[in-house]
Amino acid sequence: MPETTFTNATQVLEAFKGIKKVTIEEYFTSGHRTCQGCESALVMKLMVKAAGPRTIVLGSTGCMYVANTTYYTTPWVVPWMHTQLGSSGAAALGTAAGLKALMRKGKMKSEPINVIAFCGDGGGADMGLNGISATLTHKEYNSLILLYDNESYANTDIQLSGLTPYGAHTTFSPPGSVKRLIHTRWKKNVAGMLAAGHTECRYVATVCASFAVEMMNKVRRALTIGGPTFIHSLDPCPKGWDYDPMLSHDLGELAIETGIFPLYEVDDGLLKYYGKTKAIVEGRKRKPVREYLLKQGRFAHFTEEDLAYFQAKVDEMWEKWEIPGVVPFKRLEAAKAALEVK
Amino acid sequence: MAVATKTAPAVAEDRELLISGSEAVAEALALADIDVVTAYPIRPYDTVMQAIAKKIANGQLVAEYIVAEGEHSQFEVVKHASTVGARVFCGSSGVGWAYAMECLVVTPPLRVPMVAMVGNRALDDPGAFGVEHNDALFVRDLGWMLVWIDSSQEALDTTLIGYRLAEDRRVFLPLAISADGAFLTHSQALTLVPPKAKVERFLPPYNRGDLLLHPDNPITVAPQANEDWVIEIRRQNNEAMARAVIVIEEAYADFRTIFGRGPENPWFEEYMTDDAEIILVGMGTISLPIKVGIRNMRAQGKKVGLVRLRWFRPFPTDRLVAALSKASVIGVIDRDYSFGSPFGSGVVANEIRAAMYNAPKRPPLVSFICGLGGREVTLEDVYKVTDLCYNAAKTGKSDTKTHWLGVRE
């Protein structure tokens, strides 16, 4: 049986030890037409730079499809293929399964090829969630699903998604004279949900391109560890968030420093906080959320009451959650206390 | 591709097995050495996935067998596996096929030569397991090739022919093989299963060529095109469908040479049509009661024949027109519906009306809808159809009404 020569190995991608050690080659180059200050385009560039040339990328519908690939021009140096809006999970699984089948049957030269499927917040956390969930249970297929979260359907005119923050102004949630807030749902906790619910998925992480080396190293870890893996990237979006494009990097930092978006990884079940999130866990004071929110036009209609509500919800995830910033169950002591009250 | 010129060598004889239509497809899939298959449960097509699972469990087939979390992912997974060079199989029934619709849409323009089985089933609501052809017909305009079969043998043979056809670089389009729910998916018949050596001579390996998605061939597939290029891409699909006509003829001819069986006319089966005054037309297993009815009516001197349409896409316009023009009256029996359509007819009747429009001789056409939701089509139904066709023969005019048979009025 040719199966015996097939190992299902992954590429071994060691972490870059500092910015000067990052490889110079680019696999996402000119040929796209993303906005000035687009952090998601930076995520694409860093993602595939971290992965290297022996990589196949699948891109589900969204701005990183439409703005990146226009017929007869492409920024992708590695093989790239479109997949449907809710299909990042299936695309990763199908590509990995096809390669595996052909290699184990001796129909294709056996070598580890990275498979990365990306999706936006709408394609990933709304429409494609069931497909991603399924793929994360297929432990025999190596792939990475990267969710680039610019917090709206940014390709179709900025409509709210399940990952749009509470109260944000989008074209589906305009503030009005009678109803100030249309969007009153709290953002889904995607990485925490996927890590907690898929016990054989060996790697789940959150990243922000403001911390580029850390972000690339998490991609490299996800591709090296084997099996299906997931990364959630928070990407400031000048068009959707309504701010000066020069602030993209700063807003990414502020999202971490305010504690709104924690940076962590769950590596073979071990939780590790990163950078400024780690400092928060170790006691550094979080910046007030207003410093982050009021730099963005999408929150310009917020009253003091709205800011206080937002702050209270963020406080809760650090002070009340069983695993701060990750798992939203109430702490055991709180649960016990609640039982005693009854 | 000149496989037909090779002579058949002395190899192991065919095995004869008592198997259902679904099991016959699974036999063909093992012979075709498929690489990736995705399953999701819905009756009645799921019997093929059960049969494949057994084959994989017993080592008769080495393939990635993925149970998806819904039909949408089910079809997307194999679509992507096909783009990296894997031979793939998928399938569904009824609303399951509808749930996959977005993925069915993208498969032809991506030129993915997937073979799928549709176990034809009524659409919800209300829930019904029985056969209707509306599920497979969803994709009739989209670049899927569509074929209807009526026996286990034809299920096996058409699956092998299907891969040869779909994976021909002149075509590179997906194919849906329709098998009537229960009547074929679950009904057993003696079926000849050929040895692998014969199949290898008929079916070359899948070669995706310069469309292969691989680091050695770093292409960008399906970038956003808009008005600049979309109409040219649609035109390419249309031309592939036109070329499929030639490839179907070739594939059936080679199949007959290598396997020693199979129809001379791939497109439709003609049953007692040579001298027929009335020619009935239908697709799938409805052929069985019609053939019995025809034999009985012929004993009474009524000259009735049947054209059982196999290929619906590409539609065999010229050959079908030639065959039907011989009749005094054409009676088309649809196991589907198209509410609000011209004359309220089913899909097949209106396709045939359109095909006959330029014909020099246009016999009157009478349209029927029956057997919906898997209701049995009885001999009485067949006799009634024939009587109504003879009425049209007397007047020499097409009936503008569509007759629903076996309905409680």
Side-chain angles (χ1 to χ4, degrees):
Chain A
M1 266 308 211
E3 278 188 81
T4 50
T5 60
F6 176 74
T7 61
N8 207 24
T10 58
Q11 293 178 42
V12 179
L13 303 166
E14 302 285 352
F16 294 129
K17 294 193 168 55
I19 191 75
K20 290 180 182 169
K21 302 288 185 190
V22 174
T23 46
I24 196 128
E25 292 83 4
E26 299 290 356
Y27 304 103
F28 175 90
T29 64
S30 55
H32 59 91
R33 49 188 182 89
T34 56
C35 308
Q36 195 179 28
C38 173
E39 286 290 276
S40 293
L42 181 62
V43 165
M44 295 294 114
K45 173 186 153 104
L46 298 174
M47 170 189 86
V48 74
K49 190 180 185 65
R54 305 304 282 177
T55 299
I56 296 174
V57 180
L58 299 316
S60 63
T61 311
C63 49
M64 288 302 102
Y65 168 46
V66 175
N68 270 328
T69 48
T70 304
Y71 205 56
Y72 266 46
T73 173
T74 179
W76 295 102
V77 177
V78 293
W80 183 95
M81 180 178 171
H82 174 227
T83 194
Q84 294 311 105
L85 181 53
S87 293
S88 56
L93 182 59
T95 305
L99 293 172
K100 185 183 171 193
L102 295 169
M103 289 181 194
R104 68 188 268 237
K105 292 170 84 169
K107 294 182 180 180
M108 179 186 278
K109 188 173 97 58
S110 193
E111 69 159 317
I113 294 174
N114 298 321
V115 173
I116 305 177
F118 66 75
C119 53
D121 44 299
D126 283 351
M127 191 190 265
L129 193 58
N130 57 345
I132 293 171
S133 172
T135 296
L136 295 184
T137 64
H138 285 279
K139 64 178 177 180
E140 64 274 38
Y141 302 111
N142 304 325
S143 69
L144 163 64
I145 297 166
L146 186 142
L147 187 156
Y148 68 93
D149 175 13
N150 48 28
E151 300 195 319
S152 77
Y153 288 84
N155 181 54
T156 43
D157 270 352
I158 319 297
Q159 292 91 355
L160 70 87
S161 80
L163 297 192
T164 299
Y166 173 87
H169 176 177
T170 70
T171 57
F172 278 4
S173 57
S177 56
V178 174
K179 221 170 146 99
R180 191 178 70 257
L181 303 182
I182 299 279
H183 177 52
T184 55
R185 295 146 55 193
W186 196 254
K187 183 180 174 97
K188 286 187 200 179
N189 174 23
V190 181
M193 152 177 38
L194 294 179
H198 302 85
T199 51
E200 290 189 307
C201 166
R202 296 183 63 191
Y203 193 79
V204 171
T206 60
V207 299
C208 178
S210 298
F211 306 95
V213 177
E214 176 201 316
M215 183 256 168
M216 281 189 283
N217 284 339
K218 283 175 172 168
V219 169
R220 287 168 80 81
R221 179 64 180 157
L223 292 170
T224 301
I225 196 166
T229 55
F230 179 83
I231 290 178
H232 180 182
S233 174
L234 182 74
D235 305 353
C237 168
K239 181 180 161 197
W241 300 12
D242 188 13
Y243 63 84
D244 188 319
M246 68 184 277
L247 293 176
S248 289
H249 179 94
D250 298 349
L251 280 169
E253 286 199 352
L254 275 170
I256 316 305
E257 290 168 334
T258 53
I260 290 171
F261 190 79
L263 291 178
Y264 63 87
E265 68 180 13
V266 182
D267 183 322
D268 260 339
L270 287 177
L271 172 68
K272 184 180 169 190
Y273 293 104
Y274 271 81
K276 291 177 178 176
T277 301
K278 185 162 177 273
I280 291 170
V281 174
E282 288 167 353
R284 183 191 290 185
K285 206 165 157 11
R286 282 175 278 121
K287 288 187 175 174
V289 297
R290 63 190 303 135
E291 285 189 27
Y292 172 73
L293 299 178
L294 295 182
K295 285 193 169 62
Q296 305 170 46
R298 62 178 173 159
F299 299 112
H301 57 295
F302 264 30
T303 61
E304 283 301 323
E305 187 190 358
D306 300 329
L307 291 166
Y309 177 79
F310 206 110
Q311 184 67 60
K313 291 287 283 186
V314 174
D315 291 348
E316 189 182 302
M317 70 189 264
W318 291 105
E319 292 159 16
K320 302 262 173 67
W321 286 16
E322 173 63 27
I323 302 177
V326 181
V327 176
F329 303 144
K330 294 286 184 291
R331 293 209 179 146
L332 276 178
E333 309 88 76
K336 279 179 195 155
L339 284 173
E340 281 161 19
V341 170
K342 281 179 187 171
Chain B
M1 248 340 127
V3 185
T5 58
K6 295 179 189 169
T7 53
V11 289
E13 289 301 307
D14 295 350
R15 288 176 301 142
E16 194 174 45
L17 301 179
L18 180 64
I19 49 177
S20 69
S22 290
E23 289 164 335
V25 170
E27 290 294 332
L29 296 172
L31 290 167
D33 190 31
I34 58 165
D35 300 309
V36 179
V37 54
T38 50
Y40 188 80
I42 185 169
R43 289 179 221 244
Y45 108 98
D46 55 359
T47 42
V48 72
M49 294 303 176
Q50 295 163 12
I52 296 166
K54 276 187 193 162
K55 290 209 168 292
I56 289 172
N58 294 330
Q60 295 163 283
L61 171 64
V62 176
E64 302 302 313
Y65 180 81
I66 294 171
V67 179
E69 90 293 347
E71 288 88 354
H72 189 279
S73 289
Q74 192 194 355
F75 279 80
E76 282 290 83
V77 166
V78 286
K79 179 192 90 179
H80 283 282
S82 178
T83 63
V84 296
R87 178 171 285 163
V88 301
F89 178 75
C90 200
S92 197
S93 290
V95 291
W97 183 250
Y99 195 77
M101 193 64 184
E102 183 190 33
C103 316
L104 303 179
V105 167
V106 295
T107 309
L110 287 170
R111 310 307 289 274
V112 166
M114 173 193 306
V115 173
M117 175 179 147
V118 182
N120 297 122
R121 169 179 172 159
L123 301 167
D124 291 356
D125 259 341
F129 299 134
V131 53
E132 277 175 13
H133 292 163
N134 281 84
D135 50 5
L137 288 169
F138 277 152
V139 298
R140 69 186 168 133
D141 301 327
L142 302 177
W144 278 78
M145 297 183 287
L146 292 175
V147 62
W148 263 262
I149 53 178
D150 81 340
S151 69
S152 294
Q153 190 68 62
E154 208 169 58
L156 188 149
D157 296 353
T158 307
T159 305
L160 295 175
I161 291 167
Y163 281 105
R164 164 80 180 263
L165 163 65
E167 293 172 2
D168 188 300
R169 186 62 195 257
R170 292 167 290 175
V171 180
F172 258 31
L173 291 174
L175 166 68
I177 301 172
S178 276
D180 285 354
F183 295 124
L184 181 52
T185 55
H186 288 64
S187 303
Q188 293 179 319
L190 286 172
T191 306
L192 295 173
V193 181
K196 195 144 187 165
K198 276 189 190 175
V199 175
E200 282 168 0
R201 288 180 43 242
F202 174 72
L203 181 60
Y206 171 36
N207 179 1
R208 193 147 178 84
D210 58 1
L211 294 179
L212 185 75
L213 197 68
H214 189 277
D216 292 339
N217 187 48
I219 52 172
T220 289
V221 179
Q224 183 85 2
N226 295 335
E227 70 278 12
D228 285 349
W229 286 104
V230 165
I231 196 167
E232 283 76 14
I233 293 165
R234 299 285 179 261
R235 178 65 173 267
Q236 287 177 349
N237 266 33
N238 190 55
E239 290 181 4
M241 190 62 93
R243 288 192 295 270
V245 172
I246 303 155
V247 180
I248 288 171
E249 298 269 4
E250 283 178 11
Y252 275 81
D254 281 354
F255 190 90
R256 287 196 303 277
T257 306
I258 291 169
F259 297 92
R261 62 167 182 272
E264 288 284 331
N265 173 0
W267 307 100
F268 47 86
E269 176 191 3
E270 292 189 86
Y271 183 78
M272 296 192 179
T273 54
D274 284 349
D275 63 341
E277 295 162 346
I278 310 292
I279 296 182
L280 306 180
V281 185
M283 300 198 299
T285 56
I286 203 169
S287 60
L288 276 73
I290 293 176
K291 284 178 181 174
V292 174
I294 286 174
R295 287 199 292 273
N296 293 346
M297 289 185 288
R298 288 227 166 219
Q300 298 162 11
K302 290 179 180 169
K303 291 181 178 173
V304 186
L306 167 69
V307 165
R308 175 177 65 91
L309 193 56
R310 287 194 196 92
W311 287 90
F312 188 81
R313 287 290 183 271
F315 194 80
T317 310
D318 294 341
R319 287 189 78 155
L320 194 61
V321 166
L324 298 180
S325 293
K326 298 181 294 191
S328 304
V329 173
I330 306 162
V332 184
I333 308 174
D334 272 281
R335 205 162 207 164
D336 61 80
Y337 48 84
S338 177
F339 302 132
S341 68
F343 312 105
S345 292
V347 173
V348 180
N350 276 336
E351 289 283 306
I352 291 174
R353 282 194 180 103
M356 299 294 290
Y357 189 80
N358 285 336
K361 180 173 177 288
R362 288 194 300 273
L365 186 147
V366 191
S367 156
F368 303 90
I369 287 174
C370 76
L372 298 188
R375 181 163 296 183
E376 189 183 356
V377 177
T378 63
L379 292 178
E380 295 308 316
D381 293 331
V382 179
Y383 302 148
K384 189 176 175 193
V385 163
T386 308
D387 288 346
L388 287 163
C389 287
Y390 270 113
N391 288 348
K394 277 180 211 154
T395 63
K397 283 187 179 169
S398 290
D399 198 339
T400 55
K401 187 184 165 200
T402 294
H403 303 271
W404 287 58
L405 300 174
V407 182
R408 295 185 196 91
E409 298 288 356

